[in-house]
Amino acid sequence: MNKLIESVIIASLFAVGCHTQTRGLEAGPFRTVHLAAGSHPNIVTVSDINQDRNPDILVANGESANFSVYLGDGKGGFVQAAGSPFAAGPEPNDIAVADFNGDGNPDVVVPNHGVKSVAVLLGNGKGQFSFAPGSPFSVENRPHPHGVAVADFNGDKKPDIAVDSWGENKVLVLFARGDGTFQNPGVKFDVGQMPYQRLRAGDLNADGNADLVTSNFEGKSVSVLFGDGHGSFTRRDFSVPPDPFGVAIADVNEDGHPDIALAHYSGEGTDPSKNALSVMLGDGKGNFLPAKGSPFQVGNYPGTLAAGDLNGDGIADLVLPNEIEGGLTIYLGGRNAITVAGYSPLRAGHTPNGVAIADFNHDGKGDIVVSEDEDNDLLVLLAK
C-alpha cells in the first residue's frame, strides 16, 4: 500500500463518517482542560521528561513535522516546554521515550510516515530536545515506518528501536550504540501479514527479556516475537478478529500477567461491524486466549487505544478514541470480567486520535489525554 492508496483509505473513512455527530455524550466524571497543539496531532505518550516526578505529555504533530511537549505541574496544570514544538522530520506518526545516549535524560524517537526515516532527539532533562548525530536517518523498511517500540532487545543495557516494515511482513530492529546512534540497516524479523502501523514491547513470558507484539491488519492475528535477550526472537501468532490495528500491553485481570488489547476498525469504513476491542489474556508463559466477551463493542474508527488504571482499583482499564464519532469508549478491567464503564461513551471533541492514561494530579486516579486531530489540540480529562 503506497501513500496515495493510504490517502484514499483515509478519505473513504471520513466520507463515510463526516455526517456522523456525537449525541448524548457527556464529560462524565472528568474535568476538561484543552492544550493547543501543532497541525493534526496524532499519537500521544506520557513520560517524566524534566524528572520532577510529575508526568508530562508528548504528542506527534503529523502535518507540522514536529512534536509538542507539555510539562505537568503535578496538579493537573501544564505549560508547553520552552522551544516546543520541536522538529521531528516529515509526518511524525508515533513517539516513544528512552535514554538513548546514557546521560540519564529522557530522549525521543519518532518514525517519519511517508518517508523511509526515523528521527532520534536527545533531551537535556529540562524539556528541550535536539536531533542526535545523523538524525533523522534512513531505514531499510518497506514502504516507510509507521509505529515504533523501544526496549533493550540484546541485553547490553542500551535501549534499541523496532519499527514496522509492513510491506514485507517484517519488523526492523535497530540495535543501539549507546550514544544516540544505531546500527543501521538493522535486522529484520518475520511477523504476520501486514503489521500495519502499531507495534509495542514488553516482557510477555516473564523471562526477563523484552518481547515484541505486532497487530497484523490483513492477517487477522497478532505476532509475538519472544526475545532471547541476545537480539534474536522466536515467533508465535495468535488469531484475533478482523482488522487489528492499535495495540496496548497491560494486565487487565490482575493475575500478574501482561495481556494484549487490540483496537479493530473496518479498513475502508465499509463494514462498521468490524470496529471492536479485543483482549487476549496472557498466562505469563507466552500463551494468550480471548477474554470472556471479547470482542467488545466500540464506536466508529477506534484506531488506537490506551491502558491504565482509571478508577484506582489497581487494575488496568482501556480507552479507545472513536475518531469519526468524537467520543471515547471506556472499558474497566477486572478480576472476573471486562465491563463497559457506566459513563461510556465519553465526549472527546472532534476526531479524537491518540490517547494515553496517567495520574496527572497525584490523586490516585488515572486521567486521560487525547489528541483532537481536526481541532489541533489536546484534551486532558482529569478525574474528579
Side-chain angles (χ1 to χ4, degrees), residues 10-354:
I10 293 171
S12 298
L13 283 167
F14 279 92
V16 170
C18 62
H19 298 297
T20 301
Q21 293 186 5
T22 299
R23 298 183 184 276
L25 301 186
E26 302 297 337
F30 295 91
R31 176 172 60 89
T32 61
V33 176
H34 287 271
L35 303 171
S39 179
H40 293 280
N42 50 61
I43 299 301
V44 180
T45 192
V46 174
S47 182
D48 181 8
I49 292 300
N50 59 353
Q51 303 181 78
D52 63 355
R53 300 186 179 180
N54 297 319
D56 308 311
I57 301 171
L58 301 91
V59 61
N61 300 309
E63 289 193 4
S64 52
N66 55 29
F67 69 94
S68 300
V69 177
Y70 308 83
L71 303 178
D73 63 5
K75 300 176 182 179
F78 296 89
V79 61
Q80 197 158 175
S84 175
F86 302 98
E91 297 185 61
N93 194 65
D94 201 357
I95 189 165
V97 178
D99 179 7
F100 293 118
N101 62 349
D103 66 353
N105 297 321
D107 308 313
V108 167
V109 58
V110 177
N112 299 128
H113 175 219
V115 295
K116 298 167 71 73
S117 72
V118 170
V120 174
L121 295 102
L122 304 180
N124 65 0
K126 300 178 182 179
Q128 287 73 48
F129 294 87
S130 58
F131 284 119
S135 190
F137 56 91
S138 297
V139 291
E140 293 300 320
N141 71 338
R142 189 184 305 169
H144 42 247
H146 295 78
V148 64
V150 173
D152 177 11
F153 296 117
N154 58 358
D156 64 357
K157 310 299 183 184
K158 302 169 186 176
D160 309 307
I161 294 171
V163 296
D164 62 297
S165 186
W166 65 261
E168 52 187 347
N169 301 327
K170 297 178 186 292
V171 295
L172 171 66
V173 177
L174 303 166
F175 295 107
R177 295 191 176 99
D179 60 357
T181 66
F182 295 81
Q183 300 175 33
N184 202 4
V187 182
K188 292 178 180 177
F189 299 91
D190 293 326
V191 293
Q193 187 176 359
M194 197 177 178
Y196 184 52
Q197 290 277 354
R198 301 292 168 241
L199 68 167
R200 294 294 180 252
D203 182 5
L204 298 175
N205 58 352
D207 65 353
N209 300 320
D211 310 312
L212 276 169
V213 177
T214 66
S215 57
N216 306 319
F217 189 71
E218 291 184 351
K220 299 180 183 179
S221 68
V222 293
S223 293
V224 181
L225 298 180
F226 293 102
D228 66 357
H230 301 288
S232 294
F233 299 87
T234 299
R235 170 188 167 191
R236 287 188 65 189
D237 289 359
F238 299 90
S239 295
V240 298
D243 304 335
F245 203 78
V247 182
I249 300 172
D251 180 6
V252 300
N253 61 348
E254 204 184 23
D255 65 353
H257 307 311
D259 310 308
I260 300 172
L262 300 161
H264 303 256
Y265 83 100
S266 51
E268 295 186 1
T270 58
D271 186 1
S273 68
K274 293 182 180 180
N275 296 333
L277 161 69
S278 66
V279 178
M280 304 290 287
L281 299 179
D283 65 358
K285 300 177 182 178
N287 304 303
F288 294 88
L289 292 172
K292 182 180 179 181
S294 182
F296 303 95
Q297 184 178 2
V298 298
N300 204 357
Y301 191 17
T304 62
L305 77 167
D309 182 10
L310 293 173
N311 55 2
D313 65 355
I315 305 174
D317 308 308
L318 300 168
V319 178
L320 298 90
N322 303 311
E323 186 165 349
I324 290 177
E325 295 173 353
L328 302 177
T329 300
I330 298 176
Y331 279 88
L332 304 178
R335 295 187 184 95
N336 301 314
I338 297 168
T339 57
V340 66
Y343 52 83
S344 178
L346 195 69
R347 181 187 297 139
H350 301 96
T351 59
N353 192 329

